[in-house]
Amino acid sequence: MRVNIYYGGRGLIDDPTLFALEKITKVLDELRVTVERYNLYEEKNNITVLPKTLKDADGVILAASVEWFGIGGFLQQFLDACWLYGDKESISHIYMLPVVMATTYGEREVEYQLLRAWEMLGGVPVEGLCAYVDNHVEFETNAEYNLMIEKKTEAFYRAISKKTVAFPNSSMQVKKTVLRSSTPLLTPQESEQLSAYVSNDNYVKKQKEDIEELASLFKGMLGEGGDADGYIRKLKENFYPTDDMKAVFQLDLTDENSSLIIEIDEDKLNCYRGSFDGKGQLKPDVTAKLNSQVFSDILSGARTFQSAFMMGEISAQGNFKILRNFDTIFRFQEK
């Protein structure tokens, strides 16, 4: 028999969920059960491929730590991956024990959420183990609580070994008639391969770059050089002159293979598409590289020029004091 544990907490030393899992693992070891634990916070870059680890499992334990609200992001991502890429035929034979320890309100709601989620996936849920823990030391040293964890683990072991049959539930009918996975109909092998691609950051990045390159190519074929007039109109509408401010910005829009020149002379603004020709200036004070989507977000007020630069979405060289003034000279408000 094999049981997989998927722990969705943060791995804090005083997390009572970890104590419960250690106790459960000890009992299962005594019953000669092979136990494999996956700490999702350590596997966060590979969560989409974790559903393939369910193949050889007879039972799973979904462990959640409720610190303020709900099951937390990592465990939700794992369940999403099971829905999108998991082998539903394999899951239908797997028994699931929810383990929920809360340091705040909501342990019952989270247990119910995990039970319903596993039912929707087609698996067999069993009655869970959940508790509110105010003091983890008192909880861990309480003999009665330890005994309850042992009994619950033994009941889970018996459910798996005896292949306990569960009553039919309405969730399966809802799944058949209403719920639909957003993934096209794929074989389990194709789903695994797709999940591997999704988890590969280099592959995803390359796909995005290819899409941007194709978009730029088609724009060129259609004779569209981007929304230059729209960019210039937005800049002029949101221009706030500053005394003694003289600057030249060259914005290289990488996906459009063109540049936007912004010349500022106190209350005068001149914007045009093309390479900088040096008229009236020796060179641009700031040269920045960004793609049109980032620039559109800045123009719409969704983000600032400075925040995009700090996030690495804009690379720049030149006078950084002038660069920091961009958000003062141009003030865009999100609508």
Side-chain angles (χ1 to χ4, degrees):
M1 184 186 296
R2 181 185 181 89
V3 171
N4 288 354
I5 298 174
Y6 300 92
Y7 167 65
R10 294 188 293 149
L12 302 179
I13 193 170
D14 59 349
D15 186 351
T17 308
L18 290 175
F19 167 76
L21 293 181
E22 292 295 337
K23 194 72 178 176
I24 290 170
T25 301
K26 183 178 179 181
V27 174
L28 292 175
D29 285 341
E30 293 173 353
L31 294 170
R32 301 183 183 280
V33 176
T34 301
V35 180
E36 185 75 27
R37 189 166 101 189
Y38 298 90
N39 296 322
L40 299 183
Y41 67 92
E42 295 175 346
E43 303 280 351
K44 58 185 177 183
N45 294 326
N46 300 309
I47 286 179
T48 53
V49 298
L50 283 182
K52 69 180 182 181
T53 61
L54 294 169
K55 269 189 173 183
D56 300 322
D58 300 292
V60 301
I61 296 173
L62 299 181
S65 301
V66 183
E67 296 183 79
W68 78 283
F69 184 80
I71 65 176
F74 294 140
L75 195 51
Q76 183 65 59
Q77 288 179 48
F78 173 69
L79 291 170
D80 288 344
C82 290
W83 174 255
L84 293 171
Y85 311 117
D87 183 349
K88 304 301 191 301
E89 178 60 28
S90 296
I91 294 175
S92 67
H93 303 291
I94 300 175
Y95 291 77
M96 188 279 292
L97 172 70
V99 175
V100 183
M101 296 292 147
T103 54
T104 184
Y105 175 80
E107 71 278 3
R108 289 293 181 188
E109 286 78 1
V110 169
E111 178 194 18
Y112 180 67
Q113 184 181 355
L114 293 176
L115 291 170
R116 287 298 307 277
W118 201 251
E119 284 181 347
M120 291 292 184
L121 289 168
V124 186
V126 301
E127 185 180 353
L129 171 64
C130 69
Y132 166 73
V133 180
D134 183 44
N135 186 312
H136 75 95
V137 176
E138 292 180 1
F139 178 78
E140 294 172 12
T141 55
N142 188 301
E144 292 182 351
Y145 295 160
N146 279 260
L147 183 60
M148 291 171 66
I149 295 174
E150 291 177 6
K151 295 298 182 184
K152 186 68 69 173
T153 306
E154 291 169 0
F156 179 52
Y157 171 79
R158 284 194 293 273
I160 299 173
S161 60
K162 294 182 178 180
K163 302 294 181 184
T164 302
V165 177
F167 281 112
N169 61 79
S170 58
S171 296
M172 295 305 298
Q173 294 304 314
V174 172
K175 178 183 174 183
K176 290 178 182 178
T177 58
V178 179
L179 295 178
R180 294 289 185 272
S181 171
S182 59
T183 305
L185 293 176
L186 301 172
T187 65
Q189 292 76 17
E190 290 170 333
S191 293
E192 276 190 26
Q193 187 177 25
L194 179 60
S195 69
Y197 284 140
V198 171
S199 67
N200 188 324
D201 292 337
N202 291 331
Y203 175 83
V204 174
K205 182 179 179 181
K206 183 65 169 60
Q207 292 298 302
K208 289 181 178 179
E209 290 174 351
D210 289 345
I211 291 172
E212 289 178 358
E213 185 178 344
L214 285 171
S216 178
L217 174 64
F218 285 126
K219 281 182 180 179
M221 291 171 64
L222 294 171
E224 299 176 5
D227 189 17
D229 293 338
Y231 296 156
I232 294 170
R233 177 176 52 79
K234 275 280 192 179
L235 288 166
K236 289 183 176 180
E237 289 175 353
N238 296 275
F239 176 56
Y240 290 79
T242 302
D243 293 339
D244 300 324
M245 182 61 180
K246 295 184 178 182
V248 177
F249 292 87
Q250 176 174 316
L251 305 183
D252 297 331
L253 302 175
T254 55
D255 56 328
E256 295 183 8
N257 296 318
S258 64
S259 300
L260 190 65
I261 308 302
I262 305 171
E263 297 179 347
I264 301 165
D265 186 357
E266 295 187 343
D267 62 345
K268 297 177 182 178
L269 174 65
N270 183 28
C271 303
Y272 56 91
R273 179 75 74 127
S275 59
F276 181 71
D277 57 14
K279 292 179 180 179
Q281 299 281 345
L282 293 176
K283 62 178 181 178
D285 297 288
V286 174
T287 301
K289 295 183 184 295
L290 68 166
N291 64 44
S292 58
Q293 182 59 58
V294 173
F295 191 44
S296 296
D297 289 346
I298 293 171
L299 295 176
S300 67
R303 69 179 77 187
T304 64
F305 193 91
Q306 183 68 18
S307 67
F309 174 71
M310 296 299 291
M311 291 291 291
E313 296 173 313
I314 296 177
S315 61
Q317 59 183 13
N319 190 324
F320 282 83
K321 182 178 179 181
I322 292 177
L323 182 149
R324 287 193 292 271
N325 284 328
F326 188 93
D327 294 321
T328 303
I329 303 167
F330 300 102
R331 305 173 195 171
F332 307 100
Q333 294 185 352
E334 189 172 9
K335 296 180 179 180

